[in-house]
Structure formats: structure tokens, C-alpha cells
Amino acid sequence: MSLDETATTQAKGQGLLKSYRPFPGVSDELLDAAGRVRPVWQPFIDHLSSLTPEQINDRFARGNQYLNDAGVYFRQYDQDGAHEREWPLSHIPVIISEKDWQIISEGLRQRAQLLEKVVADLYGKNELVSEGYLPASLIAQSPEWQRPLVGVEPRSGHFLHFLAFEIGRGPDGTWWVLSDRAQAPSGAGFALENRVATGRVFSEFFAKANVHRLASFFRRFRDHLVDLQGDSNSRVSILTPGPLNDTYFEHAYIARYLGFMLLEGEDLIVQDDRLMVRTVAGLRPVSVLWRRLDTAWSDPLEFNETSQIGTAGLLQAVRHGSVSLVNALGTGILETRALLAFLPRISERILGEPLQLPNVATWWCGEADTRAYVKEHAETMMFSPALSTALPFASNQTEFIGHDFDKFHKGILETWVDTKAEKLVGQEAVTLSTTPAYQDGSLVPRPMSLRVFLARTSKGWEVMSGGFARIGRTKDASAIAMQAGGSAADVWIVGDKRPAKESLLHQTESPFFKSQTGVLPSRAADNLFWLGRYIERAEGAVRLLRAYHMRLIETADPESPLVAQTAEYLEKIGVAPEKPVPDGLCSMLQSAVASASKVRDRFSVDGWLALNDLAQSATDAQRKLKENSDVPHAMGLLLRKITGFSGLVHENMYRFTGWRFLSIGRALERAHRMTDLLSVFTAPEAPEGALELLLEVGDSAMSMSRRYAVSLSQATVLDLLAMDPQNPRAVLYQLTEMKEHVEVLPHTREFNHLSDLARSVLQVHTSLAIATPESLTPEELGELRDQIAFLSVELTDAYIR
């Protein structure tokens, strides 16, 4: 059957394959050499062909909406700096048969075993160099070679626990290894999100297809890390460079998915040769650390002294054997591009067998014989830095392809190779296979590579049944990188039988027990505390801005006493009403987003989306609003979103210590702001209408009319907004909340004595509880405000510094 006949029959008139023409001399995942749809793809193509273009677009939109709702993003860097880019999902999965995957898996397990032995030798006996299998200069000059690690044996007995391999299929159908990723492989979390999104796009088909699941891979790896833990009082944690890293979303996602702490370098300290995490309950040991941070930045005492994201003394804890690192420090040497030139021979030396899955042919130009071969065949090669550890097809990593040089300039090319020599590798020019991508209503071939993940478990190396595919945005394979605008696709491994349904949570016959209470790092407590403060601060500003603009509209006189004093107060708190939506308000909300971004692993997806929507709504309102008359309505909308976010978080957040710090921040800010407002707007010189404004801003006008039979007065307002223990807007109510939260924080009582923080909160609470409305003069209120503000300093001293 010809290609046209195949398209007519299988696409059922919809033309999905009408533009699908494999590139000459290139292997294709969808069609075989005769132009027929491969059997493993046929059911999917039949399903896709049964859908109208509108249905396909609707399903793609469903997947995009999931990714948007889940907050999946990729941090991209360009000439304008860093910015968050929507996750670029290629909706058509890459489909591979179970039989083909078994071949790939066996080859990669062998390669993982080989790499373990190579890195153990490089930091151990160093026989590969002494016997001539690796050039000494190549290893010594590599920035990934870390001399302080020589002789340091991993506590776990293994250097490697989690690996990724970038692979591609060549023109003859053979799979090649393009790159080994052993430093801190990324993409596993994105693979999970790709799977969920693609599963929703093709929900009807996916539920019945025999696609292998991913959860068991993560469950077994999690169990392996827990087994490495040893001491039940220690923790398994993930070390991240922080929110500015391009894959930070994945770090937070994996930490939340597996139930591990997500830490930054500043969270950790080495004490008595043990790695400890700073928590609100004091120092706690960390015995297993899955690092997503390159070795060079991990310890400023031993490696890069300029690093501000590492932990001083980390290597000393490793030497002492108190912590297992995943992967071990120094394993980035395995990513060196020139190493690919020597692995085939090393495999014969170490394993006694050839590589089952060959890597792309590579020649290091530091030896005369190979340099001569490279010069002779230069026009068929790609050239790149020998010591590079960047992914293939990453921008600025391939200097040029030989055939780009005109033959007339071959002499110049040969001279250039001689000059570069040890700093250069030549590699066979890779022609990647293509896979279908959906474009303009039809399928088109696009170059692709796969990232396959391997995890060490109690039973050896396990391969994730699927992975992460990078899809080129054009026919050019150099545009396959994510930073170059490439997209990502799910990878389906399809078998003949329905796979067993597995999840991360598996049933057990073991006796039931409650796990230990979660540990809260001090940095996380600080960010949750300030998140509560920023949100409450923004809510107070919104209420006051709405009240100000309503009175400005009523009087049409910005110089009227109440309007002028309110404007003066707004300026004092950083939201001067010079424009309908002040910059200060947007800044408060952006500060809240920044605090939340640092605790993404402890924050629900719904909460994160609600907070971003809130901040974006304020920015949109600032851009759109031109008239002051529109502000009250806009502030009302923002207010409802703020209270909606607060309710969502406070009603759904588990009552761990983190929730208490969030609640303390919220209560402290509300008590402080209300006390300050009362000190200003209940003063004898306060303008007419000030008491009504206080009730409006304090959302207590209805309570006033029901609570008090007498007319509005300074005493009744102070009683309701300062001293009423039943009014959530009252200062005393918030101090009671703070006191109750502080009483159950760690170290509140030592030897039956209150901590300094608990004593201060009790003193402030008592001083207001025994006061009377008549005694609350502006001066007394000002002193109370300062005492409340100082509680923030005491909390920081007690739990965060």
C-alpha cells in the first residue's frame, strides 16, 4: 500500500497524514521504510483519525488547561533575562513497543553499571588512567573532576542512584546514547506532568490502551531512599539551587509527590561532622540528600568559594559517612563529552563485553591518530568542546558541522583542529529520527530525542517505563532544546497486555502506625510567616483604598478633612493613592507570591494558582483603570479574591507547624494594622466620619449596630475593634490567636518556664485584656502597636535566625 493510500484509509478523509512525508534517509517512529504505519501506532492513529479537527483542538486545550491549572512552567533565559514560560507540551505522544523498550532498557542498565564502575575507579584506584584507557590530561583538566573527592567512598556503597540518558534513533533504526546525565538529572517530574496532561487529552483511548504506568518507578526509588536513611530520626531531603533555577518547579513537584523536604543550601549546616537542617524545633539530622545542585556549587569550603547556594562543610559530612548523596559528589565527570570516545573500549575492559546500546561515535582530538582521522573525515562530523557537559543540541555547544565549511577552506579546518587538539571532540553528525507532531490540522515529522530515567532500587537498576521526549520545533535538530524553543512529549510504552494498576501509595499488611510529625525548616517558616503578613497587609490596604475612593467620590473634594487624612495614612503605609491602583499594592502581592514561591513544595496547587491570579488581577486593574470612580468596584473584586485565597489556604492546609506560622503572620499583621488605625482615627483631632471609616475598614458596621444599643462613639468603636474577643477584626481576638499558636510551637516551655516569645505575647495580650476603652488613648494604642511589631522580631530570633 502506498503512502497516499495509507493516508486515505487510515485518516478517514481528515488528512492527518496528508502532509506527513518522512525526511529522506531519516528513520521515522510512525512510518516504516515502506511508508506503512507501524503496528504499535495503528490504534492511536485510528483513534485520532476518528476525531474532527474541532474535537482534537478541544482535547489539546484540555491538556493545556491542566498544565496551566497545575502551574507547570519552565524558566527560560534569553537576552531579556529569565522569565517563566508556559510548559511547551507536544500533545502527540511518542509510542514505543514493549519489545523495543526492553532492548533499550537492557542496554541502559548495562551502561549504568559501567558508569558506576568508571566513577568508582576515577575517585579510587584510578586504573583506567594508569592503564591508558583514559588520558590523564583529559580528566585532570575537566572542571567536573574534583580532587578533594579522591578516596572518599560513598556511605551507601554506590556513587550513582539516579541517572538519565539522552538517546536518539539513527537512520538505520539503531538507538544511540547521545549523552549521559549523572550530575543532577532533571525531567522526571516533568515526565509525570506530561503523562497526566496527555492522559487527559486522550482520556478515552488512554484508559483502554496497554500503556505502562510510571508510579511504580517512583515508589520503588522512594523506598530505596528511605532504606538508605538508616536512622529513623533523620530525614530524606531534596537539595535545590532555589526558585531561580530553570527546573525549580520540578524540584518542588517531586518533593511534594514523594513526601520529602525541599531544602536550599542555607537550610543546612554541618555540626560535629553531621549534616543538619535548621528547623523551628532546632537542628535535625539529614541522612539522605537527593541533590539537584551541581558539585561545584555544593560546598564553598571545598569547591567554588564564591557559591552562595551551597552548604559549608558538606564534603566533610560525606567524608565522615553521616550522609548519603544522590548522586555522589563529583559524578558530573561522567557527563564529559570526550568520555564518550573511550567508553566502548572501557566496557570491554571492565564488563568484558561491548556496549549493548552504542553511544554516538566520538573522537577526542588530543591524540595524533584520532586527530588525523578527524581531519580526514571532518566534513561528516560535528565539533564541540571536549570538556563540555551540556546536552547535545544545546545552544552554543556545537561549534560547527564540518560540511558547513566549503571544501576550499579544508586546510583552514585542519589547522583549526590541530590548534584546538585536546580541547576538541569530533562526533558523527547525528541525524535524529522523527516523530509525529500536530500542526495546522495534520501530522508532520519532527526530530526528537528521548530522556530515559534509571533509578537504583533494592533489586538493581529500574528503568522508568516511558520518559521524556524533546521535540524539535522545526526540521532542524538544533532547535530541539527547550531553551531553543523545543517542546516536550509524553512517551508511551505499549504492551500486549493491560499493565497492573499501580500508584505511589501501595497497600500493605504491616500494622498501622502514624508517621512522625513533619519537620519545618526555619526558612520555610519564615516564608510562611511573611506570606501571612503580606496577604493581610494587602487586604488592609484594599479595604482602606476602597473606603478612601468612596469618600472621594461622595465629596469630590480631595482636601476635605477625612479624605485628606486617609490619603496621608495611605501614603504612610506605602500605598499612596496617586493612581487608581497604587504600585505599593501590587508590590505587596508580588512579595506574597515571592514568599509562596519559596515554599512551593508545601503549597497546594489551588492555593498557588489563586495567589497568582490575585497578583495578576491587581496588575491588570492597575493597567486598565483610568478613573477613580471605578476603583471601589475594582477593590471589591480584589477583596473577594484575597478573602477567597485566605479561606482556601486556611481551611485546607493541614495543621502542621507551617500552618501556625502562616496564621501567626496573618494575626500579627491584622493586630498591628488595626492598632495603628485606631491610634490615628480615634484621636481627638480626627475628622468627622473617622469612626464610620474604621467600622467599614474593620468590616464591623453590622456588628456595631447589633452589639451596641447606644449611638456610635469612640468608646464603642474601641471596644468592638480593640477589645472584643469575639470579633475576628479586633486586636484582642488576633492576639488570642497568636497566643494559642505560640503556646504549641517547639520550645515554648523549657523546664516549666515560658520562652521569651511566649512571655512577650502573653504580656501584650494581658495588657489589652485588662484595659478599658477609656484607657486606650492614642498614646497607649501607639505603644501597643510598637509592642505588637516587636513580637515579629522576637519570633524571628526564636525560630528563624
Side-chain angles (χ1 to χ4, degrees):
M1 182 179 292
S2 69
L3 179 61
D4 290 338
E5 290 172 335
T6 301
T8 302
T9 301
Q10 297 172 351
K12 298 180 182 179
Q14 294 194 39
L16 282 176
L17 297 177
K18 66 181 180 181
S19 301
Y20 202 87
R21 295 294 186 274
F23 305 151
V26 175
S27 177
D28 186 74
E29 299 300 316
L30 174 61
L31 302 180
D32 61 20
R36 295 184 296 265
V37 175
R38 298 181 189 273
V40 71
W41 279 89
Q42 191 64 64
F44 176 79
I45 293 297
D46 289 344
H47 171 73
L48 192 63
S49 299
S50 69
L51 305 175
T52 65
E54 292 75 18
Q55 289 174 322
I56 292 175
N57 290 331
D58 288 345
R59 281 160 172 74
F60 287 1
R62 183 194 302 164
N64 294 339
Q65 187 62 53
Y66 164 76
L67 293 170
N68 183 64
D69 291 345
V72 184
Y73 71 89
F74 177 74
R75 190 175 298 279
Q76 188 167 15
Y77 301 92
D78 53 29
Q79 64 272 19
D80 298 323
H83 57 273
E84 292 183 2
R85 171 191 176 194
E86 290 184 1
W87 186 245
L89 178 67
S90 180
H91 302 85
I92 304 298
V94 176
I95 304 178
I96 300 174
S97 70
E98 185 178 70
K99 182 179 179 181
D100 283 348
W101 195 251
Q102 287 176 350
I103 296 173
I104 292 172
S105 299
E106 289 173 6
L108 294 182
R109 286 193 189 96
Q110 181 210 41
R111 195 174 186 89
Q113 181 184 5
L114 174 64
L115 293 182
E116 171 70 37
K117 292 180 180 298
V118 168
V119 72
D121 177 79
L122 289 176
Y123 289 109
K125 296 180 179 180
N126 209 17
E127 292 177 345
L128 292 175
V129 171
S130 63
E131 295 177 9
Y133 286 89
L134 280 173
S137 61
L138 181 67
I139 303 301
Q141 293 178 30
S142 171
E144 296 300 334
W145 169 248
Q146 305 294 349
R147 189 173 297 277
L149 292 167
V150 173
V152 178
E153 296 185 3
R155 171 176 175 261
S156 66
H158 296 104
F159 286 82
L160 303 174
H161 298 267
F162 194 86
L163 293 170
F165 297 98
E166 202 79 15
I167 67 173
R169 196 197 291 266
D172 63 352
T174 301
W175 288 99
W176 294 334
V177 175
L178 306 175
S179 177
D180 303 306
R181 314 309 297 171
Q183 174 86 268
S186 63
F190 291 123
L192 279 170
E193 289 289 30
N194 285 345
R195 172 57 54 87
V196 177
T198 308
R200 295 197 178 190
V201 171
F202 302 108
S203 55
E204 305 94 334
F205 178 81
F206 184 83
K208 299 176 182 179
N210 299 330
V211 180
H212 288 215
R213 304 302 193 253
L214 305 180
S216 62
F217 172 85
F218 289 94
R219 174 163 57 81
R220 294 187 181 100
F221 182 54
R222 179 197 61 189
D223 293 346
H224 170 66
L225 296 184
V226 173
D227 289 342
L228 291 178
Q229 183 176 323
D231 183 1
S232 60
N233 292 322
S234 63
R235 294 296 189 280
V236 179
S237 304
I238 298 175
L239 178 63
T240 175
L244 295 182
N245 185 262
D246 56 353
T247 57
Y248 176 73
F249 168 84
E250 181 193 31
H251 304 168
Y253 178 84
I254 288 289
R256 186 167 57 240
Y257 183 69
L258 298 180
F260 296 151
M261 280 194 300
L262 184 66
L263 304 177
E264 295 183 28
E266 65 182 277
D267 295 325
L268 296 164
I269 185 173
V270 176
Q271 185 177 80
D272 298 328
D273 296 329
R274 295 197 70 187
L275 186 64
M276 314 290 282
V277 56
R278 296 182 175 93
T279 78
V280 296
L283 297 179
R284 293 291 183 269
V286 173
S287 58
V288 180
L289 192 64
W290 185 2
R291 66 178 181 92
R292 308 302 298 270
L293 180 67
D294 288 356
T295 298
W297 303 100
S298 63
D299 186 344
L301 292 182
E302 302 272 3
F303 305 120
N304 190 330
E305 63 183 11
T306 67
S307 173
Q308 298 182 16
I309 57 176
T311 301
L314 176 61
L315 179 52
Q316 182 58 27
V318 173
R319 287 194 186 106
H320 190 260
S322 63
V323 61
S324 295
L325 293 190
V326 178
N327 289 324
L329 295 172
T331 51
I333 187 67
L334 296 173
E335 299 182 358
T336 305
R337 188 160 298 171
L339 195 62
L340 295 174
F342 304 95
L343 283 180
R345 186 165 172 249
I346 291 174
S347 178
E348 297 278 4
R349 157 66 171 80
I350 292 181
L351 301 180
E353 58 188 17
L355 291 172
Q356 296 178 31
L357 208 63
N359 50 243
V360 60
T362 304
W363 295 268
W364 179 55
C365 297
E367 297 173 330
D369 291 345
T370 55
R371 189 162 59 250
Y373 179 87
V374 166
K375 289 189 292 185
E376 184 179 351
H377 299 85
E379 294 182 12
T380 64
M381 291 188 182
M382 301 182 297
F383 292 90
S384 56
L387 300 180
S388 172
T389 59
L391 283 170
F393 307 109
S395 58
N396 300 323
Q397 289 304 316
T398 300
E399 300 210 7
F400 67 85
I401 298 176
H403 60 68
D404 291 339
F405 267 58
D406 187 274
K407 291 183 179 180
F408 178 76
H409 296 98
K410 187 171 182 180
I412 297 176
L413 187 151
E414 292 177 347
T415 302
W416 181 82
V417 171
D418 286 332
T419 304
K420 294 280 187 177
E422 292 187 356
K423 298 180 180 180
L424 191 69
V425 293
Q427 291 183 295
E428 183 178 349
V430 176
T431 302
L432 294 176
S433 66
T434 55
T435 192
Y438 190 80
Q439 180 176 306
D440 299 328
S442 62
L443 296 177
V444 294
R446 288 292 178 261
M448 69 111 194
S449 68
L450 300 183
R451 174 164 290 198
V452 187
F453 301 94
L454 276 73
R456 189 182 293 280
T457 71
S458 60
K459 297 181 179 179
W461 286 104
E462 177 153 342
V463 182
M464 183 192 290
S465 294
F468 178 94
R470 294 192 297 161
I471 311 297
R473 59 186 174 89
T474 66
K475 296 180 180 180
D476 182 7
S478 64
I480 202 172
M482 302 288 285
Q483 292 289 354
S487 57
D490 190 14
V491 180
W492 290 1
I493 309 305
V494 177
D496 297 329
K497 298 179 180 180
R498 183 71 59 88
K501 188 175 182 181
E502 296 193 59
S503 70
L504 195 65
L505 300 174
H506 60 288
Q507 295 184 351
T508 177
E509 300 299 326
S510 302
F512 165 78
F513 69 95
K514 287 186 177 180
S515 62
Q516 56 191 337
T517 302
V519 171
L520 182 67
S522 298
R523 178 185 53 83
D526 187 32
N527 283 291
L528 288 166
F529 172 70
W530 277 102
L531 173 61
R533 291 201 67 174
Y534 286 133
I535 287 297
E536 186 59 37
R537 188 175 296 179
E539 181 180 339
V542 166
R543 289 182 181 277
L544 195 57
L545 282 165
R546 183 173 65 172
Y548 165 80
H549 282 282
M550 289 178 66
R551 283 155 181 77
L552 180 61
I553 292 170
E554 290 172 0
T555 62
D557 181 9
E559 301 301 324
S560 66
L562 182 59
V563 172
Q565 183 167 3
T566 306
E568 182 180 344
Y569 185 85
L570 285 167
E571 183 173 3
K572 184 184 83 169
I573 65 173
V575 285
E578 298 172 351
K579 56 176 73 172
V581 179
D583 292 336
L585 176 60
C586 294
S587 178
M588 289 176 188
L589 292 172
Q590 288 301 326
S591 295
V593 171
S595 293
S597 71
K598 297 175 182 178
V599 287
R600 283 289 298 270
D601 59 312
R602 298 175 180 272
F603 221 65
S604 74
V605 172
D606 289 334
W608 173 254
L609 291 173
L611 180 58
N612 274 278
D613 179 61
L614 171 60
Q616 187 60 50
S617 296
T619 302
D620 292 343
Q622 185 182 56
R623 186 178 67 254
K624 293 177 182 178
L625 290 183
K626 304 300 180 184
E627 301 293 334
N628 287 334
S629 58
D630 297 327
V631 175
H633 175 69
M635 291 299 110
L637 292 176
L638 285 179
L639 182 60
R640 289 192 286 278
K641 289 194 174 188
I642 290 176
T643 53
F645 166 77
S646 298
L648 175 68
V649 171
H650 285 275
E651 289 302 317
N652 293 294
M653 198 170 178
Y654 195 88
R655 270 37 177 175
F656 275 145
T657 308
W659 170 77
R660 297 194 183 280
F661 275 88
L662 182 69
S663 299
I664 289 171
R666 181 188 185 196
L668 188 149
E669 187 67 34
R670 182 174 292 186
H672 178 267
R673 182 63 63 219
M674 180 54 70
T675 308
D676 192 43
L677 278 167
L678 290 171
S679 71
V680 173
F681 288 93
T682 62
E685 64 274 15
E688 183 180 353
L691 297 181
E692 288 88 346
L693 182 140
L694 283 171
L695 290 177
E696 181 181 334
V697 173
D699 198 18
S700 298
M702 185 180 297
S703 299
M704 171 63 72
S705 62
R706 292 184 176 182
R707 182 87 166 75
Y708 302 93
V710 298
S711 59
L712 181 66
S713 67
Q714 183 185 67
T716 57
V717 170
L718 286 169
D719 187 54
L720 180 62
L721 293 180
M723 305 187 61
D724 193 331
Q726 305 300 320
N727 182 11
R729 293 285 163 181
V731 178
L732 184 62
Y733 182 98
Q734 297 303 323
L735 290 176
T736 302
E737 287 272 299
M738 282 190 64
K739 183 169 73 73
E740 291 175 352
H741 287 305
V742 168
E743 284 174 352
V744 296
L745 290 181
H747 308 310
T748 296
R749 286 183 178 273
E750 296 286 349
F751 305 107
N752 293 321
H753 295 289
L754 290 175
S755 66
D756 291 343
L757 173 63
R759 188 180 300 111
S760 296
V761 173
L762 180 60
Q763 288 173 341
V764 175
H765 180 273
T766 303
S767 68
L768 180 59
I770 64 176
T772 64
E774 292 75 17
S775 68
L776 292 178
T777 64
E779 292 74 22
E780 288 293 325
L781 287 167
E783 184 175 344
L784 178 64
R785 174 200 61 212
D786 294 341
Q787 291 173 345
I788 293 172
F790 190 69
L791 294 177
S792 178
V793 176
E794 292 196 278
L795 182 138
T796 299
D797 288 340
Y799 294 106
I800 296 169
R801 286 181 182 170

